[in-house]
Amino acid sequence: MNSAFKKMMCRFLAVALITLPFQTGQASMISTDQVSSAATVQANRSLVLNHLNRAQTVSEFQALGLDAQQARDRVAAMTDEEVGNLAGQINAVPAGGDGLVALILVVFFIWYFAFRR
Amino acid sequence: MPRRRHRSRALVSPRRPAWEQGARLVAGVLLLLAGLGGCASLVPQTMALREAWPAGVARSSENTTVPFFPQQDYQCGPAALATVLVAGGVDLSPDDLVKSVYLPARQGSLQVEMLAAPRRYGRVSYPLAPRFDALLQEVAAGNPVVVLQDTGVGPLVNWHYAVVVGFDYPAGELYLRSGETRRLALPFTVFEYTWKRGGYWAMVALPPERIPVSADPAGYLAAVAAMERVAAPQAALLAYASALRRWPDNATAGIGLANRQYAQGALAQAEATLRQTLALHPDAVPVLNNLAQVLSDLGRNDEALALLDRALRVDAGPFAAAVRETQALVRQRMGRSR
């Protein structure tokens, strides 16, 4: 992590600690999220980590050419787990793009000379 | 198993005669390699299909109503996603999805974003189990499936999204909306070879009232919870209701539906849902707690307290704090009303 990122992160955390609703209060209903993730204690512990991962992923998206709003919207649509897996990995995971289906000869030969199914 | 020698129209290159000489050599080498390593390691799932076709799945099926959006530039991600979303009744074009799934610097789209984007349109993104049987089940049910292929070879990597819309096992072909081809026919072997390198990744994005046939309850409910974060509340409500119809004894589906009903202010409905769930899971602490909250909101604090006592008698586990909080709230309300 470079120092600009660290600085950004510290500012984010300071604001987050003050303003973010760490205890989401919808009366006293136990949320569906809490029920599906049985490890509630674990979930609380990783709350801060989630915010970190989200902030990091947003800034990585921006570095890849998205504007700030787009980057935030995209990360918002991901689950904590998804963001956790993506953070720091954006340049390592597959990005499907090329559609010129250059199905290479070797693959063709498998089918042509051996079998189709 | 007879070895077929059909030519695939989509694959025959105009230069075919030129490389046919070399082809026999390469094929010889390949067959040798296949013999050494075993075909099974090259396309293991296709080999497994020869032994056992998935139970209850038709041998051939094709959903011809799935639309086709020829991809532009590197944007097979938006095109593939638009294909399945429009097939599921969302009104949009690939251009609308570029801003949510295309990454200019990577000239492509990430899997996680392919899953995330449909949620905004109230569609449940469900990653399939990495197996042919799950893929074939969905396609046979008429659900178009987005797949990630690596159409490169050896060290060359070329990630590509396409949509499987049908297959014909006797002919040995799968049919895809792919790139600029409306109906690309790929042999099972070739398809598996390209599909394998992305870890057999596949997803569906379906309307909330339509659960993937291959879905498992925990995975599906996690997918609904993921959608709930960003979609219209009504979509999540529909999805939980469908899940409860499909898996009537699933407690999470019942809690999810009741939470949506509660959020909408439909307290009587929430109570009915929770009572049904409670009948099947008498010791489920979240159900006891949430039902107590609903009853308290309905002004029935005595009943609520009785339920909370019941919740505290069983081991409340991670929900103990929540139950005590509810208890305090109910007592406070009772104190006020006296």
Side-chain angles (χ1 to χ4, degrees), chain A residues 23-42 44 50 54 57 60-67 69-87 89-117, chain B residues 1 3-4 6-8 11 19 23-24 26-27 30 39 43 46-47 50 71 74 76 98-113 116 119-120 151 153 158-161 169-173 178-179 186-190 193-194 225-226 229-230 240 252 255-256 259 262 286 289-290 293-294 318-319 322 326 329:
Chain A
Q23 287 290 338
T24 45
Q26 183 209 52
S28 309
M29 294 290 271
I30 294 174
S31 76
T32 320
D33 255 355
Q34 280 172 283
V35 178
S36 17
S37 67
T40 308
V41 182
Q42 180 81 35
N44 284 336
N50 285 331
R54 283 182 188 274
T57 308
E60 282 173 346
F61 268 146
Q62 285 179 265
L64 289 174
L66 300 185
D67 68 48
Q69 188 57 45
Q70 264 187 13
R72 273 197 298 272
D73 284 351
R74 287 190 180 196
V75 173
M78 298 176 196
T79 65
D80 294 342
E81 196 190 350
E82 285 168 343
V83 176
N85 291 336
L86 188 60
Q89 296 292 318
I90 284 190
N91 286 308
V93 297
D98 203 344
L100 307 169
V101 187
L103 274 175
I104 315 299
L105 293 182
V106 170
V107 173
F108 177 57
F109 295 147
I110 299 175
W111 163 77
Y112 189 76
F113 291 98
F115 46 82
R116 295 165 66 78
R117 60 183 164 91
Chain B
M1 186 65 50
R3 294 187 167 179
R4 288 157 189 272
H6 296 257
R7 289 197 173 88
S8 160
L11 288 172
W19 47 257
R24 296 195 183 281
V26 178
L30 242 173
C39 294
V43 284
T46 307
M47 294 292 100
R50 288 185 178 184
Q71 81 169 82
Y74 297 99
C76 64
V98 169
K99 65 177 188 318
S100 50
V101 297
Y102 186 67
L103 263 188
R106 292 288 314 271
Q107 295 193 327
S109 303
L110 309 181
Q111 287 149 286
V112 59
E113 295 210 87
R119 293 170 189 154
R120 294 218 178 264
T151 56
V153 71
N158 186 42
W159 296 110
H160 174 63
Y161 291 107
Y169 192 64
E173 287 177 333
S178 178
L186 282 185
F188 274 66
T189 46
V190 174
Y193 185 82
T194 60
R229 302 167 54 93
V230 288
Y240 284 123
T252 309
I255 293 167
N259 278 349
Y262 180 80
N289 176 79
N290 290 6
Q293 175 72 44
V294 172
F319 303 113
T326 314
L329 177 81

Side-chain angles (χ1 to χ4, degrees), chain B residues 19-190:
Chain B
W19 47 257
E20 200 154 65
Q21 295 292 317
R24 296 195 183 281
L25 180 69
V26 178
V29 173
L30 242 173
L31 281 179
L32 186 67
L33 286 175
L36 291 173
C39 294
S41 64
L42 214 53
V43 284
Q45 294 206 21
T46 307
M47 294 292 100
L49 284 181
R50 288 185 178 184
E51 306 301 320
W53 184 254
V57 177
R59 294 249 160 184
S60 70
S61 172
E62 184 171 2
N63 185 349
T64 53
T65 64
V66 177
F68 173 56
F69 299 100
Q71 81 169 82
Q72 288 160 3
D73 302 324
Y74 297 99
Q75 301 178 349
C76 64
L81 215 47
T83 305
V84 296
L85 290 179
V86 172
V90 182
D91 184 19
L92 50 64
S93 73
D95 287 343
D96 300 322
L97 290 166
V98 169
K99 65 177 188 318
S100 50
V101 297
Y102 186 67
L103 263 188
R106 292 288 314 271
Q107 295 193 327
S109 303
L110 309 181
Q111 287 149 286
V112 59
E113 295 210 87
M114 297 291 283
L115 286 165
R119 293 170 189 154
R120 294 218 178 264
Y121 300 92
R123 293 298 180 265
V124 184
S125 302
Y126 184 79
L128 300 186
R131 296 189 312 264
F132 248 132
D133 60 342
L135 172 75
L136 295 172
Q137 272 180 30
E138 296 302 337
V139 174
N143 300 330
V145 178
V146 178
V147 291
L148 178 68
Q149 296 172 285
D150 177 6
T151 56
V153 71
L156 292 173
V157 175
N158 186 42
W159 296 110
H160 174 63
Y161 291 107
V163 180
V164 182
V165 297
F167 58 87
D168 183 347
Y169 192 64
E173 287 177 333
L174 289 137
Y175 305 112
L176 299 93
R177 304 267 184 273
S178 178
E180 290 167 352
T181 314
R182 170 176 262 278
R183 186 175 184 269
L184 177 69
L186 282 185
F188 274 66
T189 46
V190 174

